[in-house]
Amino acid sequence: MASGTFTKTVKRVDRWLDQVFFAAWEVSVLAIPTLWLLLAATPPEAVSLSGTAALVASAAAVGTYRGEYVSTGTWPRPGHLPTLPVRSAYYSLVVGGTALVGAAMQAEFGWFWAGIILPVIGVTGALALVPVVIDAVERTARVTI
């Protein structure tokens, strides 16, 4: 009995890691424009710490939400082309915004943990809204066409 439970747990963790891996790929690729702009942001040490925290948290959040480990609505598949522009813009805003806020707070208060904690909290909350944002954009597009 215990080995059956262990096997189920391993399969569940393996599925989650698979979701996180593809989410990391998706977020990293779709947020390239913002990541490029973050190269010029200052102070570079704070921006790189907060940017890394935002990317890691984004991968974990998207993998968790898309895998329905935490339900936030219906997520599009990673390769879903109609939602690609919306996801690219949203991921870019979330990763860039949280990285800059984290870096600013880290520089302001001199506490490097702010550069990690703020992006992780911001990304986790903002990415939970992806299904809502995509639905709103699709409804708006149908109304205006």
Side-chain angles (χ1 to χ4, degrees), residues 115-144:
I116 297 170
I117 294 170
L118 292 174
V120 168
I121 291 171
V123 159
T124 304
L127 289 177
L129 300 174
V130 166
V132 173
V133 170
I134 289 174
D135 285 344
V137 170
E138 287 175 346
R139 273 196 316 275
T140 302
R142 278 192 289 266
V143 169
T144 58

Side-chain angles (χ1 to χ4, degrees), residues 8 29 43 52:
K8 286 180 184 178
V29 169
T52 301

Side-chain angles (χ1 to χ4, degrees), residues 84-119:
L84 186 90
V86 175
R87 288 182 293 134
S88 179
Y90 196 74
Y91 293 161
S92 292
L93 286 172
V94 169
V95 169
T98 58
L100 291 175
V101 166
M105 293 299 105
Q106 181 182 353
E108 178 68 25
F109 298 111
W111 191 53
F112 81 93
W113 283 105
I116 297 170
I117 294 170
L118 292 174

Side-chain angles (χ1 to χ4, degrees), residues 1-7:
M1 184 66 141
S3 68
T5 302
F6 180 73
T7 302

